[in-house]
């Protein structure tokens, strides 16, 4: 049996591109237009030239890997607390309980947030409080690396929020106001996916 070749033009494949928001671009109008288009078209965009060096990002990933490769008993010493700070073991979280086949997610994580001391009245709020850290002797420099990364990532987020504000025809500092996002929860989650085991 022969297969017949369809006549006519080949079907067109629709391809979307993901816009890059360049934080070093002096033309803020272009950044606003690209971000707005990305949010309306596909909901995703890349942020480039954000000021966090690739060398530092490599260090963050290396330090993250060091934590997740620690023995379980060491990781359990910094188990996630009621303020959602610290380590979450494999299968501890369930993304989709109604449709999930397994008992939990095949990932482990580590939550880091804006550090709020226990004696600060702000620590009474649900997601505010002190961070939980591995002992410096276990992972020298780990805390300092993650605190620096959290701070730098938060600054990138603030820069993007200013572009979002302009895209929404708001004042550039709208999201910086204390009553809006002036004191963000800003949780950083380090994740490690071990892989599915049969």
């Amino acid at each position: 049996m022969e297969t017949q070749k369809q006549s006519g033009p080949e079907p067109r494949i629709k391809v979307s591109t993901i816009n890059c928001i360049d934080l070093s671009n002096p033309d803020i109008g272009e950044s606003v237009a690209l971000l707005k288009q990305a949010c309306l078209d596909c909901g995703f965009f890349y942020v480039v030239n954000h000021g966090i060096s690739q060398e530092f990002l490599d260090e963050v990933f290396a330090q993250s890997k060091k934590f997740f490769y620690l023995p379980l008993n060491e990781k359990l010493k910094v188990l996630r607390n009621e303020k959602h700070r610290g380590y979450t073991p494999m299968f501890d979280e369930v993304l989709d309980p109604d449709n999930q086949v397994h008992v939990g997610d095949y990932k482990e994580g580590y939550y880091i947030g804006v550090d709020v001391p226990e004696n600060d009245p702000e620590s009474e709020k649900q997601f505010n409080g002190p961070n939980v850290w591995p002992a410096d002797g276990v992972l020298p420099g780990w805390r300092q690396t993650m605190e620096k990364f959290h701070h730098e990532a938060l600054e990138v987020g603030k820069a993007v929020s200013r572009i979002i504000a302009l895209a929404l025809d708001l004042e550039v500092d709208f999201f910086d106001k204390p009553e809006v996002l002036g004191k963000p929860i800003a949780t950083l989650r380090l994740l490690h996916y071990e892989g599915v085991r049969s």
Side-chain angles (χ1 to χ4, degrees), residues 19-28 30-31 34 45-54 57 152-153 155-157 159-160 163:
N19 289 345
C20 290
I21 310 305
D22 185 344
L23 293 185
S24 69
N25 186 352
D27 184 354
I28 192 69
E30 180 182 25
S31 296
L34 287 169
F45 55 86
Y46 288 109
V47 176
V48 297
N49 295 320
H50 42 65
I52 303 176
S53 73
Q54 187 59 52
L57 288 172
E152 290 189 17
E155 291 304 310
V156 171
V160 171
I163 298 170

Side-chain angles (χ1 to χ4, degrees), residues 72-123:
L72 182 59
N73 66 326
E74 279 297 328
K75 293 185 281 191
L76 290 176
K77 290 178 183 177
V78 289
L79 195 60
R80 184 180 64 178
N81 61 24
E82 70 283 350
K83 298 294 185 173
H84 295 273
R85 306 297 172 85
Y87 173 66
T88 55
M90 189 82 70
F91 310 117
D92 191 58
E93 297 178 315
V94 181
L95 178 64
D96 188 0
D98 294 334
N99 297 307
Q100 199 152 328
V101 177
H102 303 286
V103 287
D105 297 346
Y106 280 102
K107 72 174 186 321
E108 52 186 342
Y110 198 94
Y111 289 81
I112 300 166
V114 175
D115 203 39
V116 180
E118 285 182 3
N119 60 353
D120 187 318
E122 288 291 313
S123 72

